[in-house]
Amino acid sequence: MVETYKSTSNPMMNRPVVKAELVEWMRSSQTQVTGELAEVLNFAKENNIPVIPHETVLYFQMLLSLLKPKRILEIGTAIGFSALVMAQEVPEAEIVTIDRNPEMIELAKKNLTKYDHRNQIQLKEGDAADVLQELKGPFDLVFMDSAKSKYVEFLPKSLELLSENGLILMDDVFQAGEILLPIMEVKRNQRALERGLRKLFDEVFDNPKYMTSVLPLGDGLLMIKKHKNC
Ligand SMILES: C[S@@+](CC[C@H](N)C(=O)[O-])C[C@H]1O[C@@H](n2cnc3c(N)ncnc32)[C@H](O)[C@@H]1O
């Protein structure tokens, strides 16, 4: 068992925003994850490691099969599950993924050695705030699934690294609906996270520079695209 990883950042796990029966239906009635990906997923479940939920896996598979990105940047590797999902869907893509947690990095390395058969995935160790500065674009897709308070801080560099028609995806932006609460009603230890998310929404929503779409998948997936000429 993984001892030190604390799953505090995903309130959706216990409090789905979409009706629980519908979430269950989406997860049980569609194609299941099988084979090697299922091994990684089962380990995540057994050890309470948050990874993208089933409906998001299927959405990623659909989206990637249409977009066929050549280079993908992921912020938040954990044990490498979402990176492996993406690698499997786009066998010709190069994926750079960042994590700062030593325990997750060790597990991710083991999984990548075992399951990244085409050596598509490059794991960068360190805080994304630092690693992002060293990266060279362009990336056709940036997937943020790390500390939610930092999404807004990672946005400018991610936009800089993004290809002209590139897409940014950010996971868990609903925070189980807490984004709707007045900030003083949010638990004190969650306020920095909530303030970061609200700053992000203020920056990207209703801004002529960006096209956005929020999807009620998992705990909310935000999609951001640059408008042409911006
Ligand atoms: C929800 S998990 C990622 C799950 C993974 N994307 C998946 O679906 O398989 C979040 C990960 O982000 C990492 N993380 C959080 N903040 C980070 C930061 N500032 N820089 C790098 N990694 C970060 C954590 O260590 C954790 O492993």
Side-chain angles (χ1 to χ4, degrees):
M1 291 286 278
V2 178
E3 299 296 340
T4 60
Y5 190 82
K6 296 271 183 296
S7 162
T8 53
S9 64
N10 196 346
M12 186 269 167
M13 279 184 144
N14 306 315
R15 295 179 285 153
V17 168
V18 174
K19 218 172 164 184
E21 300 91 301
L22 281 174
V23 174
E24 179 49 33
W25 174 77
M26 280 195 284
R27 291 181 184 174
S28 60
S29 61
Q30 301 188 82
T31 307
Q32 297 300 303
V33 170
T34 56
E36 294 184 340
L37 281 179
E39 289 176 29
V40 183
L41 182 60
N42 289 337
F43 181 88
K45 283 183 183 161
E46 281 159 19
N47 291 283
N48 200 24
I49 295 167
V51 298
I52 51 170
H54 189 56
E55 61 276 19
T56 306
V57 170
L58 297 183
Y59 179 68
F60 274 24
Q61 289 172 335
M62 169 78 79
L63 187 69
L64 295 179
S65 76
L66 295 170
L67 294 180
K68 300 197 185 331
K70 290 192 177 65
R71 295 187 77 219
I72 299 172
L73 170 61
E74 177 181 67
I75 306 177
T77 317
I79 62 171
F81 175 67
S82 51
L84 287 163
V85 167
M86 295 191 279
Q88 190 183 73
E89 192 53 49
V90 209
E92 56 289 343
E94 175 195 339
I95 300 169
V96 176
T97 183
I98 308 171
D99 210 291
R100 66 177 177 190
N101 178 315
E103 195 177 3
M104 290 299 113
I105 289 169
E106 199 189 316
L107 292 166
K109 279 183 178 166
K110 281 190 190 143
N111 283 333
L112 298 188
T113 304
K114 198 165 169 196
Y115 302 118
D116 178 22
H117 302 297
R118 289 172 292 270
N119 289 322
Q120 288 172 262
I121 305 170
Q122 199 188 338
L123 176 61
K124 299 268 189 194
E125 301 175 32
D127 197 296
D130 304 319
V131 178
L132 280 173
Q133 305 308 318
E134 300 156 12
L135 294 178
K136 298 240 179 321
F139 289 93
D140 307 300
L141 187 86
V142 176
F143 174 45
M144 292 191 203
D145 191 14
S146 57
K148 318 306 163 198
S149 60
K150 302 285 179 189
Y151 286 177
V152 69
E153 289 175 31
F154 299 156
L155 183 66
K157 189 66 194 177
S158 300
L159 287 164
E160 215 179 289
L161 292 169
L162 203 62
S163 62
E164 201 187 323
N165 285 310
L167 184 65
I168 298 182
L169 301 172
M170 298 178 177
D171 205 17
D172 302 324
V173 297
F174 286 161
Q175 290 301 299
E178 284 182 359
I179 50 162
L180 300 176
L181 292 177
I183 197 77
M184 295 317 281
E185 284 179 30
V186 172
K187 274 194 206 139
R188 200 176 280 271
N189 64 0
Q190 289 290 308
R191 281 186 203 153
L193 183 160
E194 293 285 343
R195 286 201 174 96
L197 280 177
R198 286 160 206 223
K199 211 167 150 199
L200 169 75
F201 301 147
D202 287 346
E203 167 64 22
V204 299
F205 288 173
D206 200 22
N207 182 333
K209 285 197 274 185
Y210 311 116
M211 187 185 278
T212 63
S213 177
V214 182
L215 304 182
L217 292 171
D219 193 25
L221 185 73
L222 170 60
M223 304 175 72
I224 305 170
K225 194 181 174 311
K226 280 188 276 194
H227 269 306
K228 290 220 160 40
N229 310 319
C230 281

